[in-house]
């Protein structure tokens, strides 16, 4: 949400009639991003629901449900490790290697447009909204164009985009927010609105083929873009249109389709897991190779051959960063090494103690938690480098690598396996997300120390906000449940159970191997295409997005496809003259509207206010209906 945070911060400053500088806007969105990372980093959408699904017969442990105090303790344990990892990694990947970090660069370009300063890397290129120029577009200004006229044209484009925000920003945001809010509140009282049977009631109730016209989902599809939304829906078609019926009618998954234990949804989950791990590991191979190459070069002067990358010059031009490996900031604007050393030490020791207090000695031993933090530090380097090059942080695969390790360290302990994987994933996720913000700050000359303060403040505040919100939601809704399925919880738990007893659903191993091999090849092709910045790279399916199409029911993917199509058509037909800012505002309003009203719905449910009518609902079709 860095783009949206920067935009909303600017709009708020206009409404409150005080002017913020570009650097202050960088710190604002850094704090907001750190706050928003906590629900994912602390596992409130995966790890904690997974622990609540434990069974003594299958896992040797009863369900683990944390109180508000316990959830705060767990969040404190993992909240700051990734923050203190970011300063030392920053110097390597941003200053020395100058990795692109596409989302961080895009945020810097947006802030530059809003604040009337030249966008980074735009001096010799035309702009295309907030997006960086693609590799297949012209880099140099044609000889027939007067440079002064080109610069004036660019300035006119910036002025037009900025005036769009100043004059229409709140109006556009307000209308999109209102539309999403009304749709969400109406669907609470009439659940059929968000559970429309696409191909009849039979396929909707028996095979989960419904459509949810959520404007928040549409907004998310706009933000993620058409290629990613398309990959997700391709996965949805394969998983729910082919593999799910195949598993059901072959007797491999005899239970109800939506059952995660013996139904088709639980069966295709394993194929999804294999795709995510193979795609993540394959994409990390060139990253690991480069790290090893640099290490050998530093220690012995031996340099492994490096594949020439014709996009190297383009990367430098886009980033517009300093062309040396020396730090450009003064010491008073950097995070002192002593802070980093002490911070890492204290966060690891405190985190280990808190995990032990929350889960007990039988849950995970302190020495195992220390290994989890060490794994998090190592995996963070891989994740950050992958993010810097591809804009994808493969934390799902990284977490599974940690789970595999802990199957040997504490064999048979499902609780320890999930917790240790969560500790490692939290560090990698936080370090990656914060590095995007540090890239934005580097391009706009914001103080790294000020951003560091913002990260600490955001992470600390989010501990209490996230824990309180999660506690309220679990009181009103079952999680996982019909309205909040939390599919990643089953991913964590299923792998932990597999590593404990080694049993896979019938025939799933063959499909796992076949899809894993296929996406190893696809991921290798996509990784190479991305490194060479060829035009068709973005159209090669993303393995992770493809796998997410398996995890979620069709209703989650289809609305995002609508948003992706809108984003694609907008850029093809309308964005050339007006830029992308208006589209960002609309998407932000859609997401914010449903998010705010979902809290209102939570309050209504807490006070016993239910649906008004189940008209159109069939048994088992609408989560909010009792019929």
């Amino acid at each position: 949400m860095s783009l949206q945070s920067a935009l909303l911060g600017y709009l708020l400053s206009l409404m409150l009639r005080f002017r913020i500088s570009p650097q202050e806007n960088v710190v604002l969105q850094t704090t907001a991003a750190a706050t928003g990372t906590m629900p994912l980093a602390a596992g409130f959408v995966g790890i904690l629901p997974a622990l609540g699904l434990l069974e003594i017969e299958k896992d040797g442990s009863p369900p683990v449900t944390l109180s508000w105090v316990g959830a705060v303790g767990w969040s404190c344990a993992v909240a700051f490790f990734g923050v203190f990892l970011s300063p030392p990694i920053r110097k390597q990947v941003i200053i020395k290697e100058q990795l692109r970090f596409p989302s961080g660069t895009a945020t810097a370009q947006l802030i530059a447009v809003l604040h009337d300063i030249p966008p980074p890397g735009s001096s010799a290129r035309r702009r295309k909204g907030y997006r960086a120029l693609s590799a297949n577009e012209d880099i140099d200004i044609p000889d027939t164009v007067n440079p002064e006229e080109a610069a004036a044209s660019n300035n006119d484009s910036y002025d037009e985009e900025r005036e769009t925000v100043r004059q229409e920003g709140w109006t556009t945001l307000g209308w999109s927010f209102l539309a999403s809010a009304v749709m969400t509140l109406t669907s609470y009282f009439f659940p059929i609105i968000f559970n429309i049977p696409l191909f009849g009631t039979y396929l909707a109730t028996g095979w989960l083929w419904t459509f949810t016209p959520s404007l928040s989902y549409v907004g998310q599809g706009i933000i993620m873009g058409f290629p990613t939304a398309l990959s997700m829906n391709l996965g949805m078609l394969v998983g729910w249109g082919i593999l799910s019926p195949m598993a059901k009618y072959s007797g491999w998954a005899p239970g109800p389709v939506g059952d995660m234990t013996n139904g088709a949804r639980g069966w295709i989950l394993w194929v999804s897991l294999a795709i995510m791990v193979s795609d993540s590991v394959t994409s990390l191979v060139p990253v690991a190779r480069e790290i090893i190459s640099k290490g050998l070069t530093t220690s012995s002067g031996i340099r492994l051959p490096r594949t020439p990358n014709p996009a190297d010059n383009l990367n430098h031009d886009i980033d517009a960063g300093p062309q040396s490996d020396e730090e450009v900031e003064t010491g008073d604007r950097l995070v002192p090494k002593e802070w980093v050393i002490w911070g890492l030490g204290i966060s690891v020791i405190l985190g280990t103690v808190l995990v032990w207090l929350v889960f007990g000695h039988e849950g995970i031993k302190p020495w195992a938690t220390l290994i989890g933090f060490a794994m998090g530090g190592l995996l963070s380097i891989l994740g950050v480098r992958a993010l810097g090059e591809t804009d994808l942080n493969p934390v799902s695969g990284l977490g599974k690598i940690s789970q595999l390790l802990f199957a040997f360290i504490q064999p048979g302990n499902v609780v320890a396996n999930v917790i240790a994987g969560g500790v490692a994933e939290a560090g990698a996720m936080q370090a990656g997300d914060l590095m995007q913000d540090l890239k934005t700050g580097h391009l706009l000359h914001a103080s790294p120390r000020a951003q560091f303060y913002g990260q600490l403040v955001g992470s600390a505040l989010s501990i209490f906000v996230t824990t309180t919100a999660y506690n309220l939601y679990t009181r009103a809704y079952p999680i996982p449940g019909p309205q909040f399925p939390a599919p990643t919880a089953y991913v964590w738990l299923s792998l932990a159970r597999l590593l404990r007893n080694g049993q896979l659903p019938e025939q799933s191993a063959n499909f796992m191997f076949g899809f894993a091999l296929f996406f190893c090849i696809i991921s290798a092709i996509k990784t190479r295409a991305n490194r060479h910045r060829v035009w068709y790279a973005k159209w090669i399916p993303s393995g992770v997005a493809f796998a997410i199409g398996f995890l979620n029911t069709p209703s989650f993917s289809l609305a995002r496809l609508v948003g992706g199509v809108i984003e694609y058509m907008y850029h093809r037909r309308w964005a050339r003259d007006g830029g992308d800012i208006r589209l960002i505002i609309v998407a932000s309003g859609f997401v914010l509207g449903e998010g705010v009203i979902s809290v209102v719905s939570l309050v209504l449910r807490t006070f016993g206010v239910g649906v008004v009518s189940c008209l159109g609902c069939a048994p088992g079709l609408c989560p909010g209906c009792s019929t």
Side-chain angles (χ1 to χ4, degrees):
M1 297 297 288
S2 294
L3 282 166
Q4 288 70 35
S5 299
L7 177 62
L8 290 174
Y10 180 78
L11 289 174
L12 283 170
S13 72
L14 293 181
M15 183 187 72
L16 299 175
R17 298 186 182 278
F18 66 85
R19 186 176 184 84
I20 61 173
S21 68
Q23 292 74 28
E24 289 170 332
N25 202 335
V26 169
V27 176
L28 182 151
Q29 64 87 24
T30 300
T31 306
T35 306
T37 299
M38 184 56 61
L40 299 174
F44 283 89
V45 298
I47 294 170
L48 296 189
L51 294 174
L53 294 170
L54 295 174
E55 301 177 19
I56 294 180
E57 297 79 8
K58 294 182 179 180
D59 310 305
S61 172
V64 177
T65 303
L66 299 184
S67 64
W68 185 88
V69 174
V72 167
W74 160 250
S75 300
C76 290
V78 298
F80 303 107
F81 177 65
V83 176
F84 285 100
L85 277 176
S86 57
I89 299 178
R90 168 192 172 273
K91 184 170 183 179
Q92 177 63 34
V93 300
I94 293 179
I95 303 302
K96 292 186 177 182
E97 300 181 38
Q98 301 178 22
L99 298 186
R100 297 176 66 242
F101 290 98
S103 291
T105 301
T107 304
Q109 292 173 332
L110 173 66
I111 293 175
V113 169
L114 296 176
H115 292 271
D116 196 19
I117 61 175
S122 64
S123 58
R125 61 179 65 242
R126 63 181 175 84
R127 288 250 309 143
K128 188 177 181 182
Y130 67 86
R131 294 180 177 273
L133 195 67
S134 302
N136 60 316
E137 296 183 277
D138 294 334
I139 297 175
D140 298 321
I141 297 176
D143 294 337
T144 57
V145 177
N146 187 310
E148 294 182 358
E149 294 178 357
S153 176
N154 280 338
N155 289 333
D156 291 342
S157 175
Y158 307 150
D159 291 340
E160 181 179 352
E161 292 180 355
R162 191 172 56 259
E163 286 304 312
T164 296
V165 177
R166 289 177 177 173
Q167 296 177 9
E168 306 176 21
W170 275 113
T171 302
T172 304
L173 184 69
W175 280 111
S176 59
F177 179 97
L178 182 63
S180 182
V182 169
M183 176 76 81
T184 304
L185 191 60
T186 305
S187 70
Y188 177 82
F189 293 111
F190 302 91
I192 190 61
I193 292 176
F194 271 12
N195 298 276
I196 299 174
L198 271 182
F199 308 109
T201 303
Y202 170 72
L203 288 180
T205 56
W207 296 92
L208 308 183
W209 278 88
T210 61
F211 176 60
T212 300
S214 161
L215 292 182
S216 177
Y217 291 172
V218 173
Q220 293 166 22
I222 292 172
I223 294 169
M224 69 174 55
F226 181 60
T228 302
L230 184 61
S231 294
M232 184 186 301
N233 278 266
L234 288 175
M236 179 267 294
L237 288 175
V238 172
W240 292 92
I242 300 176
L243 295 184
S244 176
M246 184 185 298
K248 176 72 173 180
Y249 287 120
S250 299
W252 305 333
V257 171
D259 194 306
M260 295 295 289
T261 303
N262 59 0
R265 188 174 189 181
W267 193 91
I268 64 176
L269 166 69
W270 290 101
V271 183
S272 171
L273 178 60
I275 294 172
M276 283 194 292
V277 172
S278 66
D279 181 83
S280 299
V281 172
T282 303
S283 64
L284 287 173
V285 169
V287 175
R289 180 181 181 276
E290 190 166 346
I291 292 175
I292 295 172
S293 173
K294 291 179 180 295
L296 291 175
T297 302
T298 302
S299 61
S300 62
I302 301 175
R303 181 180 296 273
L304 297 181
R306 179 179 182 271
T307 303
N309 186 354
D312 283 345
N313 292 333
L314 177 60
N315 294 346
H316 288 304
D317 185 55
I318 289 177
D319 292 344
Q323 301 302 309
S324 70
D325 61 358
E326 297 298 327
E327 180 61 73
V328 296
E329 299 288 351
T330 57
D332 61 319
R333 289 165 56 89
L334 295 173
V335 180
K337 293 181 180 179
E338 294 78 9
W339 293 11
V340 173
I341 295 172
W342 279 98
L344 285 174
I346 293 174
S347 62
V348 169
I349 295 172
L350 181 62
T352 302
V353 172
L354 287 173
V355 169
W356 177 72
L357 290 175
V358 171
F359 295 102
H361 191 73
E362 295 301 321
I364 182 171
K365 293 177 171 55
W367 58 263
T369 305
L370 288 173
I371 295 177
F373 278 113
M375 282 289 296
L378 294 175
L379 296 176
S380 295
I381 298 174
L382 295 177
V384 165
R385 288 189 53 80
L387 185 67
E389 295 182 2
T390 68
D391 211 31
L392 175 66
N393 192 350
V395 290
S396 57
L398 297 177
K400 306 306 171 286
I401 293 173
S402 182
Q403 282 189 275
L404 293 173
L405 174 65
F406 273 84
F408 296 97
I409 294 177
Q410 280 197 264
N413 192 329
V414 173
V415 176
N417 190 278
V418 173
I419 294 172
V423 169
E425 185 184 64
M429 179 175 292
Q430 274 191 312
D433 288 350
L434 299 179
M435 207 56 58
Q436 294 275 24
D437 300 324
L438 290 172
K439 177 68 174 183
T440 303
H442 176 66
L443 293 176
L444 295 176
H445 307 294
S447 166
R449 185 180 295 192
Q451 288 187 268
F452 178 75
Y453 292 149
Q455 292 164 7
L456 290 176
V457 170
S459 297
L461 176 65
S462 188
I463 291 172
F464 302 98
V465 174
T466 302
T467 302
T468 302
Y470 183 75
N471 187 264
L472 291 174
Y473 273 99
T474 52
R475 290 184 180 183
Y477 302 95
I479 300 178
Q483 289 178 299
F484 298 99
T488 54
Y490 292 96
V491 174
W492 281 98
L493 186 57
S494 296
L495 181 57
R497 285 174 172 172
L498 173 64
L499 296 173
R500 183 174 188 262
N501 54 40
Q503 294 181 352
L504 283 169
E506 185 180 359
Q507 292 299 319
S508 61
N510 296 329
F511 283 87
M512 289 173 68
F513 177 79
F515 274 88
L517 180 61
F518 177 76
F519 273 95
C520 274
I521 299 172
I522 294 296
S523 180
I525 296 173
K526 186 177 181 68
T527 300
R528 182 175 179 81
N530 277 326
R531 290 176 68 86
H532 286 77
R533 308 290 183 262
V534 295
W535 67 270
Y536 57 82
K538 66 179 181 179
W539 297 111
I540 301 175
S542 162
V544 171
F546 190 91
I548 290 174
F550 282 52
L551 290 181
N552 291 315
T553 56
S555 62
F556 285 82
S557 300
L558 291 170
R560 290 175 171 86
L561 180 62
V562 172
V565 171
I566 291 173
E567 185 261 356
Y568 179 75
M569 297 301 296
Y570 184 86
H571 291 142
R572 291 275 295 182
R573 298 190 177 186
W574 300 294
R576 296 176 183 175
D577 297 327
D580 288 350
I581 292 183
R582 183 180 287 107
L583 190 62
I584 301 174
I585 296 174
V586 171
S588 301
F590 285 165
V591 175
L592 290 170
E594 183 165 323
V596 171
I597 297 302
S598 69
V599 178
V600 175
S601 302
L602 172 64
V603 174
L604 292 175
R605 181 175 289 269
T606 302
F607 284 97
V609 179
V611 301
V612 171
S613 172
C614 286
L615 181 66
C617 291
L621 177 61
C622 301
C625 285
S626 57
T627 58

PDB file of all heavy atoms in Angstrom, residues 474-490:
ATOM      1  N   THR A 474     -12.327 -12.579  15.449  1.00  0.00           N
ATOM      2  CA  THR A 474     -12.476 -13.974  15.861  1.00  0.00           C
ATOM      3  C   THR A 474     -13.662 -14.163  16.816  1.00  0.00           C
ATOM      4  O   THR A 474     -14.188 -15.270  16.928  1.00  0.00           O
ATOM      5  CB  THR A 474     -11.194 -14.475  16.549  1.00  0.00           C
ATOM      6  OG1 THR A 474     -10.815 -13.562  17.595  1.00  0.00           O
ATOM      7  CG2 THR A 474     -10.057 -14.587  15.550  1.00  0.00           C
ATOM      8  N   ARG A 475     -14.071 -13.107  17.492  1.00  0.00           N
ATOM      9  CA  ARG A 475     -15.259 -13.202  18.335  1.00  0.00           C
ATOM     10  C   ARG A 475     -16.530 -13.211  17.511  1.00  0.00           C
ATOM     11  O   ARG A 475     -17.539 -13.801  17.907  1.00  0.00           O
ATOM     12  CB  ARG A 475     -15.306 -12.022  19.314  1.00  0.00           C
ATOM     13  CG  ARG A 475     -14.243 -12.079  20.405  1.00  0.00           C
ATOM     14  CD  ARG A 475     -14.423 -10.925  21.376  1.00  0.00           C
ATOM     15  NE  ARG A 475     -13.418 -10.935  22.431  1.00  0.00           N
ATOM     16  CZ  ARG A 475     -13.385 -10.078  23.444  1.00  0.00           C
ATOM     17  NH1 ARG A 475     -14.323  -9.138  23.534  1.00  0.00           N
ATOM     18  NH2 ARG A 475     -12.441 -10.157  24.358  1.00  0.00           N
ATOM     19  N   ALA A 476     -16.497 -12.549  16.361  1.00  0.00           N
ATOM     20  CA  ALA A 476     -17.705 -12.421  15.535  1.00  0.00           C
ATOM     21  C   ALA A 476     -17.789 -13.474  14.438  1.00  0.00           C
ATOM     22  O   ALA A 476     -18.893 -13.838  14.014  1.00  0.00           O
ATOM     23  CB  ALA A 476     -17.763 -11.027  14.917  1.00  0.00           C
ATOM     24  N   TYR A 477     -16.644 -13.958  13.964  1.00  0.00           N
ATOM     25  CA  TYR A 477     -16.626 -14.902  12.852  1.00  0.00           C
ATOM     26  C   TYR A 477     -15.691 -16.066  13.175  1.00  0.00           C
ATOM     27  O   TYR A 477     -14.674 -15.875  13.848  1.00  0.00           O
ATOM     28  CB  TYR A 477     -16.120 -14.239  11.563  1.00  0.00           C
ATOM     29  CG  TYR A 477     -16.904 -13.029  11.114  1.00  0.00           C
ATOM     30  CD1 TYR A 477     -16.491 -11.743  11.458  1.00  0.00           C
ATOM     31  CD2 TYR A 477     -18.044 -13.177  10.326  1.00  0.00           C
ATOM     32  CE1 TYR A 477     -17.196 -10.630  11.035  1.00  0.00           C
ATOM     33  CE2 TYR A 477     -18.749 -12.059   9.894  1.00  0.00           C
ATOM     34  CZ  TYR A 477     -18.324 -10.788  10.246  1.00  0.00           C
ATOM     35  OH  TYR A 477     -19.026  -9.690   9.827  1.00  0.00           O
ATOM     36  N   PRO A 478     -15.995 -17.258  12.671  1.00  0.00           N
ATOM     37  CA  PRO A 478     -15.001 -18.340  12.765  1.00  0.00           C
ATOM     38  C   PRO A 478     -13.906 -18.116  11.739  1.00  0.00           C
ATOM     39  O   PRO A 478     -14.177 -17.846  10.565  1.00  0.00           O
ATOM     40  CB  PRO A 478     -15.824 -19.599  12.431  1.00  0.00           C
ATOM     41  CG  PRO A 478     -16.950 -19.103  11.587  1.00  0.00           C
ATOM     42  CD  PRO A 478     -17.259 -17.712  12.065  1.00  0.00           C
ATOM     43  N   ILE A 479     -12.653 -18.194  12.178  1.00  0.00           N
ATOM     44  CA  ILE A 479     -11.504 -18.037  11.275  1.00  0.00           C
ATOM     45  C   ILE A 479     -10.578 -19.232  11.475  1.00  0.00           C
ATOM     46  O   ILE A 479     -10.042 -19.408  12.573  1.00  0.00           O
ATOM     47  CB  ILE A 479     -10.744 -16.730  11.556  1.00  0.00           C
ATOM     48  CG1 ILE A 479     -11.659 -15.519  11.353  1.00  0.00           C
ATOM     49  CG2 ILE A 479      -9.530 -16.602  10.630  1.00  0.00           C
ATOM     50  CD1 ILE A 479     -10.998 -14.187  11.655  1.00  0.00           C
ATOM     51  N   PRO A 480     -10.391 -20.085  10.477  1.00  0.00           N
ATOM     52  CA  PRO A 480     -10.993 -20.050   9.133  1.00  0.00           C
ATOM     53  C   PRO A 480     -12.492 -20.361   9.181  1.00  0.00           C
ATOM     54  O   PRO A 480     -12.951 -21.092  10.044  1.00  0.00           O
ATOM     55  CB  PRO A 480     -10.238 -21.132   8.372  1.00  0.00           C
ATOM     56  CG  PRO A 480      -9.012 -21.394   9.165  1.00  0.00           C
ATOM     57  CD  PRO A 480      -9.382 -21.148  10.596  1.00  0.00           C
ATOM     58  N   GLY A 481     -13.214 -19.807   8.218  1.00  0.00           N
ATOM     59  CA  GLY A 481     -14.645 -20.017   8.140  1.00  0.00           C
ATOM     60  C   GLY A 481     -15.152 -19.605   6.780  1.00  0.00           C
ATOM     61  O   GLY A 481     -14.362 -19.225   5.895  1.00  0.00           O
ATOM     62  N   PRO A 482     -16.455 -19.662   6.557  1.00  0.00           N
ATOM     63  CA  PRO A 482     -17.012 -19.351   5.228  1.00  0.00           C
ATOM     64  C   PRO A 482     -16.666 -17.951   4.738  1.00  0.00           C
ATOM     65  O   PRO A 482     -16.360 -17.759   3.566  1.00  0.00           O
ATOM     66  CB  PRO A 482     -18.528 -19.521   5.441  1.00  0.00           C
ATOM     67  CG  PRO A 482     -18.652 -20.430   6.613  1.00  0.00           C
ATOM     68  CD  PRO A 482     -17.498 -20.097   7.504  1.00  0.00           C
ATOM     69  N   GLN A 483     -16.716 -16.961   5.636  1.00  0.00           N
ATOM     70  CA  GLN A 483     -16.472 -15.591   5.191  1.00  0.00           C
ATOM     71  C   GLN A 483     -14.999 -15.220   5.217  1.00  0.00           C
ATOM     72  O   GLN A 483     -14.554 -14.351   4.486  1.00  0.00           O
ATOM     73  CB  GLN A 483     -17.290 -14.624   6.050  1.00  0.00           C
ATOM     74  CG  GLN A 483     -18.791 -14.700   5.761  1.00  0.00           C
ATOM     75  CD  GLN A 483     -19.586 -13.775   6.650  1.00  0.00           C
ATOM     76  OE1 GLN A 483     -19.570 -13.900   7.870  1.00  0.00           O
ATOM     77  NE2 GLN A 483     -20.291 -12.839   6.043  1.00  0.00           N
ATOM     78  N   PHE A 484     -14.224 -15.858   6.082  1.00  0.00           N
ATOM     79  CA  PHE A 484     -12.783 -15.625   6.159  1.00  0.00           C
ATOM     80  C   PHE A 484     -12.078 -16.981   6.122  1.00  0.00           C
ATOM     81  O   PHE A 484     -11.707 -17.528   7.167  1.00  0.00           O
ATOM     82  CB  PHE A 484     -12.419 -14.853   7.436  1.00  0.00           C
ATOM     83  CG  PHE A 484     -13.041 -13.488   7.513  1.00  0.00           C
ATOM     84  CD1 PHE A 484     -14.187 -13.275   8.246  1.00  0.00           C
ATOM     85  CD2 PHE A 484     -12.482 -12.421   6.837  1.00  0.00           C
ATOM     86  CE1 PHE A 484     -14.783 -12.028   8.320  1.00  0.00           C
ATOM     87  CE2 PHE A 484     -13.063 -11.167   6.896  1.00  0.00           C
ATOM     88  CZ  PHE A 484     -14.212 -10.968   7.632  1.00  0.00           C
ATOM     89  N   PRO A 485     -11.893 -17.544   4.916  1.00  0.00           N
ATOM     90  CA  PRO A 485     -11.379 -18.921   4.819  1.00  0.00           C
ATOM     91  C   PRO A 485      -9.918 -19.079   5.222  1.00  0.00           C
ATOM     92  O   PRO A 485      -9.488 -20.188   5.544  1.00  0.00           O
ATOM     93  CB  PRO A 485     -11.574 -19.259   3.336  1.00  0.00           C
ATOM     94  CG  PRO A 485     -11.627 -17.936   2.636  1.00  0.00           C
ATOM     95  CD  PRO A 485     -12.250 -16.978   3.607  1.00  0.00           C
ATOM     96  N   ALA A 486      -9.133 -18.009   5.191  1.00  0.00           N
ATOM     97  CA  ALA A 486      -7.709 -18.063   5.575  1.00  0.00           C
ATOM     98  C   ALA A 486      -7.007 -19.259   4.946  1.00  0.00           C
ATOM     99  O   ALA A 486      -6.489 -20.138   5.651  1.00  0.00           O
ATOM    100  CB  ALA A 486      -7.577 -18.096   7.097  1.00  0.00           C
ATOM    101  N   PRO A 487      -6.951 -19.326   3.611  1.00  0.00           N
ATOM    102  CA  PRO A 487      -6.383 -20.521   2.959  1.00  0.00           C
ATOM    103  C   PRO A 487      -4.919 -20.764   3.289  1.00  0.00           C
ATOM    104  O   PRO A 487      -4.471 -21.914   3.293  1.00  0.00           O
ATOM    105  CB  PRO A 487      -6.584 -20.228   1.464  1.00  0.00           C
ATOM    106  CG  PRO A 487      -6.723 -18.740   1.377  1.00  0.00           C
ATOM    107  CD  PRO A 487      -7.390 -18.321   2.645  1.00  0.00           C
ATOM    108  N   THR A 488      -4.146 -19.717   3.560  1.00  0.00           N
ATOM    109  CA  THR A 488      -2.733 -19.943   3.865  1.00  0.00           C
ATOM    110  C   THR A 488      -2.548 -20.686   5.182  1.00  0.00           C
ATOM    111  O   THR A 488      -1.498 -21.302   5.401  1.00  0.00           O
ATOM    112  CB  THR A 488      -1.966 -18.610   3.929  1.00  0.00           C
ATOM    113  OG1 THR A 488      -2.625 -17.735   4.845  1.00  0.00           O
ATOM    114  CG2 THR A 488      -1.906 -17.953   2.564  1.00  0.00           C
ATOM    115  N   ALA A 489      -3.547 -20.639   6.063  1.00  0.00           N
ATOM    116  CA  ALA A 489      -3.459 -21.410   7.306  1.00  0.00           C
ATOM    117  C   ALA A 489      -3.359 -22.898   6.995  1.00  0.00           C
ATOM    118  O   ALA A 489      -2.589 -23.638   7.636  1.00  0.00           O
ATOM    119  CB  ALA A 489      -4.674 -21.126   8.186  1.00  0.00           C
ATOM    120  N   TYR A 490      -4.106 -23.348   6.005  1.00  0.00           N
ATOM    121  CA  TYR A 490      -4.071 -24.763   5.631  1.00  0.00           C
ATOM    122  C   TYR A 490      -2.762 -25.121   4.939  1.00  0.00           C
ATOM    123  O   TYR A 490      -2.294 -26.255   5.025  1.00  0.00           O
ATOM    124  CB  TYR A 490      -5.260 -25.090   4.731  1.00  0.00           C
ATOM    125  CG  TYR A 490      -6.588 -25.009   5.448  1.00  0.00           C
ATOM    126  CD1 TYR A 490      -7.371 -23.852   5.375  1.00  0.00           C
ATOM    127  CD2 TYR A 490      -7.052 -26.068   6.213  1.00  0.00           C
ATOM    128  CE1 TYR A 490      -8.585 -23.763   6.042  1.00  0.00           C
ATOM    129  CE2 TYR A 490      -8.276 -25.986   6.882  1.00  0.00           C
ATOM    130  CZ  TYR A 490      -9.031 -24.839   6.788  1.00  0.00           C
ATOM    131  OH  TYR A 490     -10.228 -24.753   7.457  1.00  0.00           O
TER     132      TYR A 490
END
